[in-house]
Amino acid sequence: MNATVETLRNKLSADSIVDGGSLSERHFVDWSGEHPCAPIAVVRPRNIADISIIMQQCSRDRQPVVVQGGLTGLSGGATPRPGELAISLDRLVGIEELDAAAGTATVLAGTPLQAVQTAASEAGFLFPLDLGARGSCTIGGNIATNAGGNQVIRFGMMRSLVLGLEAVIADGTVVSSLNKMLKNNAGYDLKQLFIGTEGTLGIVTRATLRLYPLLPAKTTALCAVADFDAMIDLLHRLQAGIGGNLSAFEAMWDSYFGYVVEHVAGLRSPFDVRFPICVLVESEGSDARADHDRLEAVLADALAAGVLLDAAVARSEQDRENLWRIRDGIAEITPMLQPMLAFDVSLPIASMPSFLAQIDRAARARSESARLLVFGHVGDSNLHVAATTGREQDFPALRDIVYGTTGEHGGSVAAEHGVGTLRKQYLHYSRSAEEIALMRRLKGALDPLGILNPGRVIPD
Amino acid sequence: MNATVETLRNKLSADSIVDGGSLSERHFVDWSGEHPCAPIAVVRPRNIADISIIMQQCSRDRQPVVVQGGLTGLSGGATPRPGELAISLDRLVGIEELDAAAGTATVLAGTPLQAVQTAASEAGFLFPLDLGARGSCTIGGNIATNAGGNQVIRFGMMRSLVLGLEAVIADGTVVSSLNKMLKNNAGYDLKQLFIGTEGTLGIVTRATLRLYPLLPAKTTALCAVADFDAMIDLLHRLQAGIGGNLSAFEAMWDSYFGYVVEHVAGLRSPFDVRFPICVLVESEGSDARADHDRLEAVLADALAAGVLLDAAVARSEQDRENLWRIRDGIAEITPMLQPMLAFDVSLPIASMPSFLAQIDRAARARSESARLLVFGHVGDSNLHVAATTGREQDFPALRDIVYGTTGEHGGSVAAEHGVGTLRKQYLHYSRSAEEIALMRRLKGALDPLGILNPGRVIPD
């Protein structure tokens, strides 16, 4: 019997508190699956006023809370820690306005990403954030983690797509900054405090999102190159050659590509031979024929210059889907590679080859059966590494190898999956003592009692 | 004889302190020209360590400072207030690194914008921030004000172009976050604290900037439309029709356009008749012929649909320069319109027509000789209004009319020129009490003694 829960039961509607035997295990852990823990209760606010009441009461009682959206995070940020009250935003769902003149959508934080994509598309717009968990993840979670995905090279991360937002801070104050304008410098841009801070500075409740015109023409190609330098040369040729239309540049080293095409049923490479690196390239524009011709011309030049070894341009939507299935094959091979660690790091592009050589060498020195599958959003400086030695005991050593080497190269131990509880101990590889002290100072200013998603992001 | 100045004279090199008769009036006021005031001295740090020493000493002595870059601001932010020590970044100049693989430039904060544009261009890159003061304004000032300019519709404001930065906070701590990567979510994104906060939370000392591939092909056109709705229809057609290549959409109402072409020597309209609104449209891409054809096709369709009344596509660089001179003509007509107020507001696009009708009506009610010249970056929701009644006594009334009406329509009283000291009293039209309280809380957390650019941005 928790006093805060009992007080809230009186202050909110009866169905807003779920506890005891009614509690679903869904609320115990995020998609990382690590360290599940039951919250003392789940409170399901119906509106923003409810959230304000909850936080006022939790402040009075110094009751720590964990905020939950779609629970699709991979870093433990939404997994309860012992004694926490979970605030689920699953009733805060809906698109409140779609302003066609401004090209904006104002949505409640619990709205699934896919619902926003669909509503935008039905109104003739594109909401360009896209990631595998689109059906379950929520806009609030996308904002809290500054989500990335496949189109960052063109449209930026979630931070670039949020024009305004509303948040409830730890003491229950509702701070509403629902701006619709691209340019607004009327004082501090407060929304930045709540984007990418994983719910530690406030609970995002609403957002005004930037929409783009729908681009009907997609051209997709798989490009084979001999090495890293050729891949970067190709990237620069595409950036110069197809102008603002380049919307994906997804690299797959053969360690990944070869494994996927060999192990996933029904998938095949468009090439008869294996290449060191394959890159999935996509252009999005408004003129299918012209865009296609322009991409082919850039690729033909690169082939003639010896930069490209081979290329396969998708001739049908089925071709295109096949190419994307190779890129998305990580979901299908993950179960086959267990016990496996999934790293999400970013690095200055010039450092990537030495980073990869170094982690490969170190992992093999640790275990002869070490296997590193490498792929990622190279145009965004973001690499994903699936690492396994076949033995879970090697996890700490693998983490030290990958995060330590990332730090040596000035990289980031958390590119797009957040820090949460599971990666905060590695933050020092990417952030200085002064940076971490400033994060603490901010946390102290906005949440002096330390009740909002405590123990996330900032190292203890 | 100020004790802090004397202590700093001992701690820094002899030529780092300028005071007394050697003090140049250049340091007394920014380009607004309003309320010039001599600082107690100007200190000219040679490096970041000097800035840290200065701020440590000023913290000890509770000595308020004002930070100065190119002094091209229009809101009084860099103009000293009585008793302030000016820190000039005029020796902190230089491009420290241009990383072609990453597409980044790391520069010292006192470097002029144009020097960065030139260095990028020489290396085959575009640094897309551009504004009239490019030769004098500095990167540090561009960051502090989150500068905008003509290409925001495509590349975003300065915030989108800063990948990493370094700042010295009020107590002298150097916080270095010189990230080169597009994706980095390793904890709070601290650079956001220093972008657009006008030096009130820290002194920006270095930045890592995002470069784009140079786009050689520019196509420019002047488009005439009958009304606001047709202009927005044209904007949407261009966004859909030339994909990511649209880099400028600069609207000029006839109140502005007609005045400029009549009063600026050597300028002429490409049209024989006057139109309600003309829009300067520019596309930037990699294929001159194809880009030109595509823009012409979109314009031809718009003409056939009755959206466009007429269009003139630039056939030469001279044509292009003539069109831009009309847009940039505000600099040339400003002296002719004195006494004049220059407003820089942003508004949800759908509200613009009623906003304009309302301020026009109110200004005319105030004075029969009221004249409002309207132009701006409509695609970015940003309008500039040059307003005059011929009498300086009407300034307060004109400010109340324009800022009050902006507030009524959910707009921003400061789109891209900052708040400084001159606009802070109007901030409440755009920001709620909760937002302003949160700004104060942040300021208190980072600068508890209130010595860093005090009295700027946040209302008293």
Side-chain angles (χ1 to χ4, degrees):
Chain A
M1 210 66 151
N2 174 287
T4 307
V5 174
E6 295 319 308
T7 312
L8 289 175
R9 213 187 291 277
N10 291 325
K11 292 195 172 187
L12 307 173
S13 70
D15 62 347
S16 296
I17 306 270
V18 184
D19 59 355
S22 317
L23 217 48
S24 153
E25 290 193 4
R26 174 182 134 65
H27 294 284
F28 294 6
V29 68
D30 71 7
W31 279 13
S32 72
E34 295 192 44
H35 316 302
C37 171
I40 59 168
V42 174
V43 51
R44 302 175 62 225
R46 292 157 307 174
N47 49 46
I48 283 77
D50 277 0
I51 299 181
S52 178
I53 290 168
I54 295 163
M55 290 315 302
Q56 286 174 46
Q57 191 60 44
C58 289
S59 285
R60 251 176 244 130
D61 300 345
R62 301 198 168 217
Q63 169 61 50
V65 303
V66 57
V67 187
Q68 298 187 334
L71 284 141
T72 61
L74 295 167
S75 301
T79 300
R81 302 196 325 157
E84 287 178 349
L85 173 68
I87 302 178
S88 170
L89 301 192
D90 60 357
R91 294 163 98 184
L92 226 66
V93 174
I95 290 152
E96 300 190 308
E97 187 201 42
L98 203 145
D99 180 337
T104 60
T106 300
V107 309
L108 289 165
T111 311
L113 169 58
Q114 196 162 34
V116 176
Q117 293 173 333
T118 304
S121 162
E122 284 168 5
F125 288 96
L126 170 73
F127 181 63
L129 188 80
D130 193 37
L131 42 102
R134 66 185 72 79
S136 309
C137 67
T138 64
I139 290 296
N142 298 151
I143 292 172
T145 57
N146 187 23
N150 294 326
Q151 301 200 89
V152 171
I153 196 170
R154 175 152 176 189
F155 298 101
M157 302 191 77
M158 190 62 169
R159 190 182 299 279
S160 313
L161 303 171
V162 178
L163 292 174
L165 62 72
E166 178 186 82
V168 177
I169 57 176
D171 64 11
T173 305
V174 182
V175 183
S176 195
S177 293
L178 288 169
N179 164 65
K180 280 187 180 182
M181 292 142 334
L182 280 193
K183 283 186 186 166
N184 186 348
N185 283 296
Y188 302 171
D189 188 6
L190 297 171
K191 66 174 177 283
Q192 307 297 344
L193 286 173
F194 306 109
I195 303 173
T197 53
E198 303 186 35
T200 60
L201 299 182
I203 304 173
V204 174
T205 51
R206 275 193 176 93
T208 300
L209 304 172
R210 181 176 184 183
L211 307 178
Y212 282 82
L214 211 50
L215 296 169
K218 282 184 183 165
T219 314
T220 312
L222 191 70
C223 303
V225 292
D227 56 27
F228 187 84
D229 288 347
M231 173 168 64
I232 299 306
D233 190 337
L234 177 65
L235 173 63
H236 291 166
R237 282 165 179 268
L238 288 164
Q239 286 174 323
I242 64 172
N245 280 0
L246 182 66
S247 59
F249 189 87
E250 299 290 312
M252 296 168 276
W253 273 256
D254 190 53
S255 57
Y256 170 83
F257 189 90
Y259 192 93
V260 167
V261 295
E262 274 172 20
H263 289 82
V264 177
L267 264 197
R268 49 185 296 272
S269 168
F271 305 129
D272 293 331
V273 292
R274 299 268 286 260
F275 293 104
I277 307 176
C278 287
V279 189
L280 179 58
V281 167
E282 198 158 84
S283 142
E284 279 187 274
S286 45
D287 182 335
R289 164 65 62 102
D291 293 349
H292 189 278
D293 290 352
R294 187 150 346 163
L295 179 62
E296 287 222 326
V298 174
L299 298 182
D301 281 351
L303 207 56
V307 169
L308 204 57
L309 298 179
D310 202 350
V313 180
R315 302 278 156 199
S316 64
E317 183 57 25
Q318 199 187 331
D319 275 4
R320 180 178 172 267
E321 276 169 19
N322 182 58
L323 295 182
W324 274 105
R325 264 196 73 202
I326 302 176
R327 167 59 183 84
D328 293 337
I330 180 63
E332 292 172 85
I333 62 171
T334 295
M336 308 175 193
L337 288 164
Q338 295 302 325
M340 183 204 96
L341 282 174
F343 292 101
D344 159 50
V345 297
S346 65
L347 291 141
I349 291 178
S351 307
M352 285 184 179
S354 66
F355 165 80
L356 290 173
Q358 209 172 319
I359 61 169
D360 202 62
R361 208 159 45 232
R364 279 179 209 283
R366 171 81 196 181
S367 159
E368 281 178 18
S369 57
R371 183 190 267 279
L372 302 180
L373 283 65
V374 182
F375 60 103
H377 322 282
V378 166
D380 315 330
S381 8
N382 183 192
L383 290 181
H384 295 305
V385 179
T388 181
T389 62
R391 310 186 320 159
E392 204 158 327
Q393 307 90 288
D394 292 326
F395 277 10
L398 283 174
R399 287 197 181 102
D400 285 333
I401 289 168
V402 174
Y403 290 134
T405 313
T406 300
E408 281 171 35
H409 288 85
S412 168
V413 299
E416 59 174 1
H417 293 169
V419 175
T421 54
L422 300 176
R423 288 198 254 178
K424 63 179 179 173
Q425 67 186 107
Y426 305 102
L427 204 65
H428 68 93
Y429 285 122
S430 296
R431 296 297 188 196
S432 66
E434 290 79 12
E435 290 176 282
I436 293 172
L438 186 50
M439 292 180 203
R440 276 206 191 96
R441 200 197 282 213
L442 268 182
K443 173 70 174 168
L446 268 82
D447 179 18
L449 304 175
I451 58 169
L452 201 48
N453 277 12
R456 277 82 176 174
V457 184
I458 302 174
D460 302 318
Chain B
M1 211 64 150
N2 174 286
T4 307
V5 174
E6 295 319 306
T7 311
L8 289 175
R9 215 187 290 279
N10 291 324
K11 292 195 172 187
L12 306 174
S13 69
D15 62 346
S16 296
I17 307 270
V18 184
D19 59 356
S22 318
L23 217 47
S24 152
E25 290 193 3
R26 175 182 134 64
H27 294 284
F28 294 6
V29 67
D30 71 7
W31 280 12
S32 72
E34 296 194 44
H35 316 302
C37 170
I40 59 167
V42 175
V43 51
R44 302 175 61 225
R46 292 157 306 174
N47 49 45
I48 283 81
D50 277 1
I51 299 181
S52 178
I53 290 168
I54 295 164
M55 291 314 302
Q56 286 174 47
Q57 190 60 43
C58 290
S59 284
R60 253 177 242 128
D61 301 344
R62 301 198 169 216
Q63 169 60 50
V65 303
V66 57
V67 187
Q68 298 188 333
L71 284 140
T72 61
L74 295 168
S75 301
T79 300
R81 302 197 323 158
E84 287 179 347
L85 173 67
I87 302 178
S88 170
L89 301 193
D90 61 358
R91 294 162 97 186
L92 226 66
V93 173
I95 290 152
E96 300 191 308
E97 189 201 40
L98 203 145
D99 181 336
T104 61
T106 300
V107 309
L108 288 165
T111 310
L113 169 58
Q114 197 164 34
V116 176
Q117 293 174 333
T118 305
S121 162
E122 284 168 4
F125 288 97
L126 170 74
F127 182 63
L129 188 81
D130 193 36
L131 42 103
R134 65 185 72 79
S136 309
C137 67
T138 64
I139 291 295
N142 297 150
I143 293 172
T145 57
N146 188 23
N150 293 327
Q151 301 200 90
V152 172
I153 196 170
R154 176 152 177 189
F155 297 101
M157 301 191 77
M158 189 63 169
R159 191 183 297 279
S160 312
L161 303 172
V162 177
L163 292 173
L165 62 72
E166 180 185 80
V168 176
I169 57 175
D171 64 10
T173 304
V174 182
V175 183
S176 196
S177 294
L178 288 169
N179 164 66
K180 281 186 179 183
M181 294 150 319
L182 281 193
K183 282 186 184 166
N184 185 349
N185 283 295
Y188 301 172
D189 188 5
L190 297 172
K191 67 174 178 283
Q192 307 298 344
L193 287 173
F194 306 108
I195 303 173
T197 54
E198 304 187 33
T200 59
L201 299 182
I203 304 173
V204 174
T205 51
R206 275 193 177 92
T208 300
L209 305 172
R210 181 177 184 182
L211 306 179
Y212 281 83
L214 211 51
L215 296 169
K218 282 184 182 165
T219 312
T220 311
L222 191 70
C223 302
V225 293
D227 57 27
F228 186 84
D229 287 348
M231 173 168 64
I232 298 307
D233 190 336
L234 177 65
L235 172 63
H236 291 166
R237 282 166 180 267
L238 287 164
Q239 286 174 324
I242 64 172
N245 280 359
L246 182 66
S247 59
F249 189 87
E250 299 290 312
M252 294 168 277
W253 274 256
D254 190 53
S255 57
Y256 170 83
F257 188 92
Y259 191 93
V260 167
V261 296
E262 275 172 21
H263 290 81
V264 178
L267 264 196
R268 51 185 294 273
S269 167
F271 305 128
D272 294 329
V273 293
R274 299 266 286 259
F275 292 104
I277 306 175
C278 286
V279 188
L280 179 58
V281 167
E282 197 158 83
S283 142
E284 280 186 273
S286 45
D287 183 334
R289 165 64 61 104
D291 292 351
H292 189 278
D293 290 353
R294 193 163 324 177
L295 180 61
E296 287 222 325
V298 174
L299 297 182
D301 280 352
L303 208 56
V307 170
L308 204 57
L309 298 179
D310 202 350
V313 179
R315 301 277 156 198
S316 64
E317 182 57 25
Q318 200 188 328
D319 274 5
R320 181 178 172 267
E321 277 169 19
N322 181 58
L323 295 182
W324 274 105
R325 265 195 73 200
I326 303 176
R327 168 59 183 84
D328 293 337
I330 180 64
E332 293 172 84
I333 62 171
T334 295
M336 309 174 193
L337 288 164
Q338 294 303 324
M340 182 204 96
L341 282 174
F343 292 101
D344 159 51
V345 298
S346 65
L347 291 141
I349 290 178
S351 308
M352 285 184 179
S354 65
F355 165 81
L356 289 173
Q358 211 172 319
I359 60 170
D360 202 62
R361 209 160 43 232
R364 280 179 208 281
R366 170 81 197 181
S367 158
E368 280 178 19
S369 58
R371 183 190 268 279
L372 302 180
L373 282 65
V374 183
F375 60 104
H377 322 282
V378 166
D380 314 330
S381 8
N382 183 191
L383 289 181
H384 295 305
V385 179
T388 181
T389 61
R391 311 186 318 159
E392 203 158 328
Q393 307 91 287
D394 291 327
F395 278 10
L398 283 174
R399 287 197 180 100
D400 284 334
I401 289 168
V402 174
Y403 290 134
T405 313
T406 301
E408 281 171 35
H409 288 85
S412 168
V413 298
E416 59 175 2
H417 294 171
V419 175
T421 54
L422 301 176
R423 288 199 254 178
K424 65 179 178 173
Q425 67 186 105
Y426 305 103
L427 203 65
H428 69 93
Y429 285 121
S430 296
R431 297 296 188 196
S432 66
E434 291 79 13
E435 290 175 284
I436 292 172
L438 186 50
M439 292 180 203
R440 278 206 189 95
R441 201 197 282 212
L442 268 181
K443 173 71 173 168
L446 268 83
D447 178 18
L449 305 175
I451 58 170
L452 200 49
N453 277 12
R456 277 81 177 174
V457 184
I458 302 174
D460 302 317

